[in-house]
Amino acid sequence: MKVLPFLLFILGSHFLVFLISKITLTFISVGMMFPVILLIVYILSKLPRWLSLIVLAFILFSNIIKIGGPSIFKVQPGMNLGDELRVVRRTYEISQGREFSINTLTNPYLYPTLWVYLYKLNGNKMPYYRGITTYDFAGRNDLIFSDAPRPIEFLIVEPEVSLPVREPNENRLLTKIEKIGEFTLYSFVPLAKDNR
């Protein structure tokens, strides 16, 4: 089997989906990454070594400067590591060493895996998780679930999550809404007298 025609066929099949699909193009473009990577590897294997190293250095450099910036391969626009870490740091700043809990509105819905890893990466004490989640997801065992009120509670809303944010709980008071990049951070304090 010839490699180049096969790789072009895989890549071309994704372009057909662009023509006939009504799905958001960013979701389809994520599936194109694998054939694009294989095609680049194939082309690099055919170039002289010095030229391959220059191309690889260019790819590496362009990816490094894209960290935290826009990318056509993101399923959810507005998500970037720099802003995510700023949200995590901001929750620690606001809590000032006190216990706190988080809840998240995520895409996909009810999967806070990203936030579990971000809080673990930060190295500070893990916050309590006060919210509903799916039965199982990566990182679930690292969360401490608790519905007990904490001195500070946060709701982290990811970019382009189309769920309305309502506050049906009358036992806490919304104190602050902050935009951090494309994220929205809601800060609450419980109205109950038995704050910890």
Side-chain angles (χ1 to χ4, degrees):
M1 175 174 69
K2 295 189 176 182
V3 176
L4 185 60
F6 177 70
L7 292 175
L8 291 174
F9 172 75
I10 293 174
L11 188 61
S13 64
H14 285 84
F15 287 110
L16 290 175
V17 178
F18 276 105
L19 296 174
I20 60 175
S21 177
K22 294 180 182 175
I23 299 173
T24 306
L25 298 182
T26 51
F27 285 92
I28 299 168
S29 68
V30 169
M32 290 178 61
M33 284 193 300
F34 184 66
V36 166
I37 290 169
L38 288 177
L39 191 58
I40 289 171
V41 168
Y42 176 78
I43 292 169
L44 287 175
S45 70
K46 300 298 180 187
L47 294 175
R49 180 174 292 256
W50 65 270
L51 187 55
S52 296
L53 290 174
I54 290 173
V55 172
L56 279 174
F58 174 76
I59 292 170
L60 180 64
F61 178 74
S62 65
N63 280 311
I64 288 172
I65 63 172
K66 283 284 189 181
I67 291 175
S71 170
I72 63 168
F73 295 115
K74 288 184 180 176
V75 175
Q76 195 177 350
M79 298 287 286
N80 67 65
L81 182 60
D83 290 339
E84 293 162 3
L85 290 172
R86 282 174 47 213
V87 169
V88 170
R89 282 193 297 269
R90 188 67 181 131
T91 59
Y92 285 113
E93 288 170 9
I94 293 172
S95 67
Q96 297 177 343
R98 295 175 290 174
E99 287 186 342
F100 67 94
S101 63
I102 62 167
N103 195 354
T104 56
L105 284 177
T106 60
N107 180 16
Y109 186 54
L110 301 180
Y111 281 87
T113 299
L114 167 72
W115 299 100
V116 174
Y117 292 135
L118 286 170
Y119 276 98
K120 279 189 75 170
L121 178 70
N122 196 53
N124 290 330
K125 184 179 176 186
M126 285 289 285
Y128 292 90
Y129 191 80
R130 187 174 189 182
I132 57 173
T133 62
T134 54
Y135 179 73
D136 201 14
F137 59 87
R140 182 181 180 89
N141 294 335
D142 294 312
L143 281 180
I144 305 167
F145 291 89
S146 175
D147 281 334
R150 305 286 164 203
I152 299 283
E153 299 174 3
F154 297 102
L155 173 63
I156 301 167
V157 181
E158 292 183 0
E160 298 199 0
V161 174
S162 59
L163 297 171
V165 178
R166 295 186 208 114
E167 189 47 39
N169 189 339
E170 296 176 1
N171 294 326
R172 60 187 188 171
L173 175 69
L174 176 63
T175 58
K176 188 182 284 189
I177 301 173
E178 294 181 58
K179 282 296 270 184
I180 300 174
E182 296 293 317
F183 295 88
T184 307
L185 179 66
Y186 293 81
S187 303
F188 300 92
V189 293
L191 296 176
K193 295 178 182 176
D194 61 333
N195 285 359
R196 297 180 182 182

